[in-house]
């Protein structure tokens, strides 16, 4: 390159005066427009004259709210507790009613069972006595079919000595009450009467009928004598005793319905007899 060649300048070209004046005019017009618009806008808006104050949460209000919440919670708890108590009471009432009904049912069942057992025992005793009477009738012949004034062929209608005293004592108790375990003087059971009658003549007999049925010599029912001890049931297992008074009759404390009676042998035929005098 020649040292005389033209070197371009790097400085910005200067604007002409006419362009500068044009740009100034445009900028002024824009600013004037903005100024006019700004002046016109606020003239049409109404000024704000009041403000709304928001409530202030104070310590007192906070305490009241908390107390109200606690009261509500307490009421809810009371209602829940009452509901539980009502439910428990209802359940308890139902349980008690059911238990009472069950107790009544059991009591009635027990009562029926006891009545049935008693009836069965009485039936068994009647059947036993019937069987014993049948056997006695076969062995004693005409003595079991005689009337209240009849006597067995070998029986005596009179008694003497100790036998007479025993019979007199027994006959003097006729009409007294029958009481289980009774030994006098106004109430007796069967063995208590027999023991007392023989005790009046100094004969000491066992207390119970089972022992009294083996206390002397066994005698047949067709060979009875006044003063003999009659027994019902087996010898050694007798359940009833009486005293033969002669004339086909005996004295005995029978039961709570009849008390001490004098009856014919056919009223309740005995199973056997023993002689102690």
């Amino acid at each position: 390159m020649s040292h005389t060649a033209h070197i371009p300048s790097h400085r910005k070209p200067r604007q002409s005066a006419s362009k500068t004046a044009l740009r100034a005019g445009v900028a002024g017009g824009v600013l004037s427009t903005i100024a006019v618009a700004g002046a016109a806008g606020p003239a049409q808006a109404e000024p704000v004259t009041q403000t709304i104050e928001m409530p202030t949460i104070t310590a007192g209000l906070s305490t009241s709210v908390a107390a109200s919440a606690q009261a509500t919670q307490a009421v809810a708890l009371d209602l829940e507790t009452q509901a539980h108590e009502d439910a428990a009471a209802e359940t308890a009432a139902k349980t008690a009613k059911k238990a009472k009904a069950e107790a009544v049912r059991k009591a009635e069942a027990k009562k029926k069972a006891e009545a049935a057992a008693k009836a069965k025992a009485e039936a068994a005793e009647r059947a036993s006595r019937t069987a014993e009477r049948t056997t006695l009738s076969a062995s004693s012949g005409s003595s079991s079919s005689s009337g209240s004034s009849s006597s067995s062929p070998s029986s005596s209608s009179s008694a003497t000595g100790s036998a007479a005293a025993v019979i007199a004592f027994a006959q003097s108790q006729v009409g007294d009450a029958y009481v289980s375990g009774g030994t006098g003087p106004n109430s007796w059971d069967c063995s208590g009467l027999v023991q007392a009658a023989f005790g009046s003549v100094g004969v000491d007999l066992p207390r119970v009928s089972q022992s009294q049925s083996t206390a002397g010599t066994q005698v047949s029912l067709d060979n009875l004598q006044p003063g003999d001890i009659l027994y019902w049931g087996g010898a050694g297992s007798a359940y009833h005793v009486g005293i033969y008074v002669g004339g086909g009759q005996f004295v005995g404390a029978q039961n709570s319905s009849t008390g001490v009676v004098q009856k014919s042998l056919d009223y309740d035929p005995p199973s056997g007899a023993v002689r102690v005098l």
Side-chain angles (χ1 to χ4, degrees):
M1 183 175 186
S2 175
H3 64 276
T4 60
H6 176 73
I7 298 174
S9 174
H10 294 286
R11 290 186 300 179
K12 187 176 181 179
R14 296 181 64 181
Q15 296 179 352
S16 61
S18 60
K19 290 182 177 182
T20 299
L22 178 61
R23 289 180 177 177
V26 172
V30 171
L31 292 176
S32 298
T33 301
I34 292 173
V36 171
Q44 297 177 358
E46 295 181 359
V48 177
T49 60
Q50 62 181 355
T51 59
I52 299 175
E53 294 184 0
M54 297 298 292
T56 301
I57 298 177
T58 64
L61 179 61
S62 176
T63 302
S64 298
V65 172
S68 177
Q70 289 178 356
T72 302
Q73 185 178 7
V75 171
L77 182 59
D78 289 342
L79 292 175
E80 183 179 2
T81 302
Q82 185 63 44
H84 285 306
E85 290 177 352
D86 292 343
E90 183 177 0
T91 300
K94 290 181 178 179
T95 302
K97 184 178 180 181
K98 184 177 180 180
K100 181 179 179 180
E102 182 65 14
V104 170
R105 184 191 66 78
K106 288 183 177 180
E108 291 178 350
K110 182 179 179 181
K111 185 176 180 180
K112 290 180 180 179
E114 290 176 348
K118 182 178 180 181
K120 184 177 180 180
E122 291 175 350
E125 183 178 352
R126 287 194 297 269
S128 176
R129 288 196 177 192
T130 300
E132 290 169 358
R133 288 172 183 174
T134 301
T135 302
L136 180 62
S137 296
S139 63
S140 62
S142 61
S143 63
S144 62
S145 60
S146 62
S148 60
S149 61
S150 302
S151 62
S152 61
S154 59
S155 296
S156 173
S157 58
S158 62
T160 60
S162 295
V166 168
I167 292 170
F169 181 93
Q171 288 178 326
S172 69
Q173 313 308 319
V174 171
D176 283 355
Y178 174 92
V179 175
S180 178
T183 57
N186 298 313
S187 60
W188 312 85
D189 64 10
C190 61
S191 57
L193 176 61
V194 172
Q195 183 187 48
F198 279 85
S200 68
V201 296
V203 177
D204 186 16
L205 290 180
R207 172 65 182 85
V208 296
S209 58
Q210 292 91 336
S211 299
Q212 290 177 3
S213 66
T214 59
T217 303
Q218 295 287 327
V219 296
S220 65
L221 294 173
D222 58 359
N223 192 33
L224 293 174
Q225 292 181 5
D228 287 345
I229 298 175
L230 304 175
Y231 62 82
W232 285 254
S237 60
Y239 57 84
H240 183 62
V241 289
I243 300 172
Y244 183 64
V245 298
Q249 297 190 359
F250 71 94
V251 171
Q254 293 301 99
N255 53 58
S256 57
S257 297
T258 63
V260 179
V261 297
Q262 179 171 329
K263 293 288 186 179
S264 170
L265 290 176
D266 65 348
Y267 169 78
D268 190 7
S271 304
V274 292
R275 187 168 295 156
V276 296
L277 297 176

